[in-house]
Amino acid sequence: ISHLRDPVPLALFPEGCVFRSAALDTLNRGGRNWSVAYCSQSFAGGEIAVDSGHAVTVMLASMVPERWRILGPQDDFPELPEAEVELCRRAAPDHPAADHLGSYIAERLPHT
C-alpha cells in the first residue's frame, strides 16, 4: 500500500549509497514524488519498514526477499538503471572467513 502514496515513502541507506542515488534520480526523472521515511545503515532497518507496509526500498533484484513484490512501470514506478557490484580483495594470505564471505556474495549475485 505504501507504493500508492504520494509522495511515496522510501526506506533507504544514508547519503553516499549508490542505490539511494539511483532511486532518487530515477524517481525525479520519472516525475514521481517521494520522501525519505526511513534511513538506516542496516538492511534490517529498511526491511522492517517495507515489511510493515510503511515504505518501499531499492536493492538488487537478486536480494529481494520472496515475500516482497518488485514494483515497476505497471505500478507507476520508472525502471531503475542496472547496477554493478564489484568485490575487491587483497592478494595477500588467504583468510578463511574472507574466502567464505566472498564465495557467499559471488554465489548470490548474477554474473554478466
Side-chain angles (χ1 to χ4, degrees):
I1 302 222
S2 57
H3 69 283
L4 300 174
R5 294 190 200 140
D6 186 19
V8 63
L10 302 174
L12 300 173
F13 284 104
E15 288 186 31
C17 172
V18 67
F19 296 115
R20 178 188 177 111
S21 298
L24 299 182
D25 290 347
T26 302
L27 290 170
N28 287 336
R29 279 195 309 276
R32 189 74 194 257
N33 297 322
W34 55 268
S35 67
V36 177
Y38 298 91
C39 185
S40 176
Q41 292 186 2
S42 74
F43 176 78
E47 186 176 22
I48 291 168
V50 173
D51 280 343
S52 67
H54 291 111
V56 299
T57 194
V58 60
M59 64 181 58
L60 293 173
S62 62
M63 294 178 63
V64 175
E66 288 185 21
R67 65 186 180 279
W68 291 2
R69 184 168 67 89
I70 297 176
L71 302 171
Q74 72 279 4
D75 305 292
D76 199 27
F77 279 83
E79 291 284 339
L80 288 166
E82 288 193 25
E84 187 173 299
V85 176
E86 193 171 300
L87 178 62
C88 300
R89 294 209 35 220
R90 65 183 186 152
D94 294 337
H95 190 282
D99 292 340
H100 183 71
L101 177 60
S103 296
Y104 178 84
I105 292 169
E107 289 169 6
R108 279 152 184 80
L109 295 176
H111 298 275
T112 57

